[in-house]
């Protein structure tokens, strides 16, 4: 309930003008939120009490089941520390930049013997002085398991669920790590907010199911209601942005944020339907994305978008896996779990101290001749946005 003071008659015209302006700005923000972040549905089960490291659950928009039309939450007015789309972002202060690095050899084994003198780091092509170099194996984890529930996943969903439950059991440390479960079609649903309760997470994974497939009448009727039709589509990249902003961006700074994406990457609803906005948003929120590219091979519509899944993974410091069977799917989850515990933390003070808010490209190179001969593969985030009042622009980050 809101209590308002009486308004003096002389101020009414000015107040009406301010209200009209506020309504216009609100409508504009709502339109931007709809275009940029997709639609969010509330959890399908009672919310669990989060651990101390977990963030408060986002305020959900009304579910289509509860009202005729679901709308996204209005985007807040941007500030210098928020992104142009209205979501909170985490920028790196130009006084210090941190990079998480993972190295593997030709047999895909993790290399844990690299020293500070074995590498060099460059920012926009300029060598930087490392101030710290250490193995990072004990940071709390904040994870989000994203499950694609479009028709292309129908024949593999059961295997995905089993592998996800095994992953949660092996990786999650009670009272230290937290995880969430998110499902998506053309809309994004938070099935389980951040928690360290394995039973709650497993129940959320087990609960997800595919409601519509290619034979569903709802997906072949041009006159079907929008809130139904949208469930026949797939918004892969919007789901990543929603997860970053509604879940992972609220976790403590000293937390390793990661998204495990289970999808074929075949986006039919995000605007645009390419991953660059999801890459940018993940970089801003310091989130690593691991993509597990998987689909039902009996579906002859759409395709496995390997290039897009590699882009979202490698640009954010993760990697993409393309399992061909259940054993390879289990192995992919196991490797992600190992990688999250087998990383180096590199810290340096950027020589470019201009607070311009621009994207800074980061490169890590092996300088040790012996290690260079081993042709190690390095995985790390490809850059960051410096702090500054300027709005960041999309940078080209092709490798």
């Amino acid at each position: 309930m809101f209590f308002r003071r009486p308004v003096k008659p002389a101020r009414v015209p000015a107040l009406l003008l301010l209200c009209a302006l506020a309504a216009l700005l609100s409508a504009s923000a709502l339109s931007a939120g709809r275009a940029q972040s997709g639609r969010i549905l509330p959890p399908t089960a009672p919310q669990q009490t989060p651990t101390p490291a977990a963030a408060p659950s986002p305020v959900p928009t009304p579910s289509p089941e509860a009202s005729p039309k679901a709308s996204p939450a209005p985007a807040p007015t941007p500030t210098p520390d928020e992104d142009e789309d209205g979501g909170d972002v985490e920028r790196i202060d130009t006084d210090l930049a941190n990079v998480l690095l993972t190295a593997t050899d030709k047999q895909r084994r993790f290399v844990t013997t690299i020293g500070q003198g074995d590498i060099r780091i460059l920012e926009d092509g300029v060598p930087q002085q490392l101030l710290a170099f250490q193995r990072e194996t004990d940071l709390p984890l904040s994870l989000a398991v994203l499950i694609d529930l479009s028709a292309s996943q129908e024949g593999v969903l059961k295997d995905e669920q089993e592998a996800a439950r095994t992953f949660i059991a092996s990786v999650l440390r009670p009272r230290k790590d937290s995880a969430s479960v998110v499902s998506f079609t053309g809309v994004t649903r938070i099935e389980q907010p951040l928690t360290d309760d394995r039973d709650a997470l497993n129940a959320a994974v087990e609960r997800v199911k595919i409601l519509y497939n290619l034979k569903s009448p709802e997906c072949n009727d041009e006159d079907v209601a929008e809130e139904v039709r949208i469930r026949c589509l797939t918004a892969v990249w919007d789901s990543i942005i929603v997860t970053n902003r509604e879940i992972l961006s609220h976790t403590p700074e000293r937390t390793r944020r990661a998204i495990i994406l289970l999808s074929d990457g075949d986006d039919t609803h995000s605007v645009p339907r390419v991953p660059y906005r999801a890459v940018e948003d993940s970089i801003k929120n310091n989130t690593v994305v691991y993509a597990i590219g998987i689909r039902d091979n009996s579906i002859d519509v759409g395709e496995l978008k390997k290039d897009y899944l590699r882009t979202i993974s490698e640009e954010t410091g993760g990697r993409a896996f393309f399992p061909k069977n259940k054993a390879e799917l289990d192995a992919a989850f196991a490797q992600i779990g190992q990688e999250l515990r087998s990383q180096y933390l590199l810290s340096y003070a950027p020589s470019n101290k201009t607070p311009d808010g621009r994207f800074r490209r980061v490169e890590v190179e092996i300088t040790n001749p012996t290690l260079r001969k081993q042709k190690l593969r390095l995985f790390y985030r490809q850059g960051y946005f410096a702090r500054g009042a300027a709005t960041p622009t999309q940078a080209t980050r092709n490798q």
Side-chain angles (χ1 to χ4, degrees):
M1 181 179 291
F2 295 91
F3 298 92
R4 298 179 179 176
R5 297 178 180 177
V7 179
K8 295 181 180 180
R11 291 188 176 180
V12 169
L15 180 61
L16 291 175
L17 179 61
L18 289 175
C19 290
L21 180 59
L24 179 62
L25 291 175
S26 177
S28 174
L30 180 60
S31 175
R34 181 177 295 108
Q36 299 295 340
S37 295
R39 299 166 65 182
I40 312 170
L41 299 184
T44 56
Q47 180 175 323
Q48 301 293 322
T49 303
T51 61
S57 298
V59 178
T61 56
S63 169
E65 288 83 353
S67 61
K69 211 168 187 179
S71 300
T77 303
T79 67
D81 285 332
E82 293 178 342
D83 124 0
E84 59 186 344
D85 297 332
D88 294 336
V89 302
E90 180 178 330
R91 302 182 191 275
I92 297 180
D93 195 325
T94 52
D95 289 340
L96 187 65
N98 297 315
V99 178
L100 282 170
L101 170 70
T102 304
T104 61
D105 61 18
K106 293 180 181 179
Q107 286 73 43
R108 297 184 179 181
R109 296 172 300 193
F110 294 105
V111 179
T112 59
T113 57
I114 296 176
Q116 183 169 339
D118 297 328
I119 65 169
R120 73 168 182 167
I121 191 164
L122 301 92
E123 182 176 293
D124 290 337
V126 179
Q128 306 293 310
Q129 181 180 1
L130 277 175
L131 300 179
F133 181 93
Q134 63 188 59
R135 286 282 307 281
E136 236 356 309
T137 60
D138 202 42
L139 276 181
L141 301 177
S142 293
L143 309 175
V145 180
L146 269 64
I147 305 175
D148 186 343
L149 295 183
S150 60
S152 65
Q153 305 299 302
E154 191 167 26
V156 294
L157 180 59
K158 184 177 180 181
D159 288 344
E160 291 176 1
Q161 291 170 309
E162 184 177 336
R165 290 194 300 268
T166 301
F167 173 77
I168 290 169
S170 63
V171 171
L172 205 66
R173 298 169 296 182
R175 297 179 298 281
K176 184 157 191 174
D177 303 325
S178 58
S180 60
V181 178
V182 179
S183 67
F184 66 92
T185 50
V187 292
T188 300
R189 183 187 291 277
I190 300 174
E191 302 286 350
Q192 173 58 55
L194 281 171
T195 181
D196 68 346
D197 186 336
R198 294 179 182 177
D199 291 338
L201 291 165
N202 287 333
V205 170
E206 187 66 28
R207 185 168 58 242
V208 298
K209 59 182 178 179
I210 295 173
L211 298 178
Y212 300 103
N213 57 33
L214 299 180
K215 297 180 181 179
S216 299
E218 296 87 349
C219 300
N220 295 281
D221 183 357
E222 295 181 357
D223 297 324
V224 74
E226 171 67 11
E227 57 264 27
V228 175
R229 186 189 69 84
I230 198 173
R231 296 168 186 267
C232 300
L233 303 174
T234 313
V236 184
W237 318 125
D238 278 353
S239 73
I240 291 175
I241 293 172
V242 167
T243 301
N244 275 322
R245 298 183 182 182
E246 300 298 330
I247 300 176
L248 297 180
S249 67
H250 300 289
T251 59
E253 185 176 350
R254 288 289 293 172
T255 299
R256 185 167 304 162
R257 300 169 180 169
I259 287 174
I260 293 86
L261 171 67
L262 289 154
S263 175
D264 58 5
D266 195 359
D267 196 307
T268 61
H269 187 62
S270 298
V271 181
R273 296 175 189 174
V274 290
Y276 78 81
R277 283 184 54 250
V279 169
E280 185 174 278
D281 200 80
S282 296
I283 289 173
K284 290 175 182 176
N285 286 288
N286 201 22
T287 300
V288 178
V289 179
Y290 293 95
I292 298 179
I294 188 170
R295 65 178 274 121
D296 185 343
N297 291 327
S298 68
I299 302 296
D300 57 5
V301 176
E303 61 181 311
L304 179 60
K305 300 281 191 178
K306 289 186 177 182
D307 288 346
Y308 286 172
L309 294 175
R310 287 193 183 102
T311 295
I312 186 67
S313 299
E314 295 177 4
E315 292 284 321
T316 60
R319 71 169 98 185
F321 301 84
F322 303 99
K324 298 177 181 178
N325 51 49
K326 176 66 166 56
E328 291 186 5
L329 176 61
D330 291 339
F333 268 108
Q335 193 158 2
I336 293 171
Q338 285 183 295
E339 187 160 319
L340 290 169
R341 307 292 185 200
S342 304
Q343 295 177 310
Y344 300 91
L345 177 64
L346 288 60
S347 299
Y348 67 96
S351 57
N352 181 359
K353 302 189 181 300
T354 306
D356 53 15
R358 294 182 179 275
F359 181 80
R360 308 283 175 79
R361 173 173 286 281
V362 173
E363 298 175 83
V364 180
E365 298 179 347
I366 297 289
T367 57
N368 183 309
T370 302
L371 291 177
R372 286 177 66 89
K373 291 179 181 179
Q374 298 180 24
K375 299 186 182 300
L376 304 181
R377 291 195 67 188
L378 304 181
F379 301 89
Y380 55 91
R381 185 178 53 188
Q382 303 297 297
Y384 68 95
F385 288 98
R387 185 179 297 279
T391 300
T393 57
Q394 173 64 25
T396 300
R397 293 189 292 275
N398 294 328
Q399 293 301 302

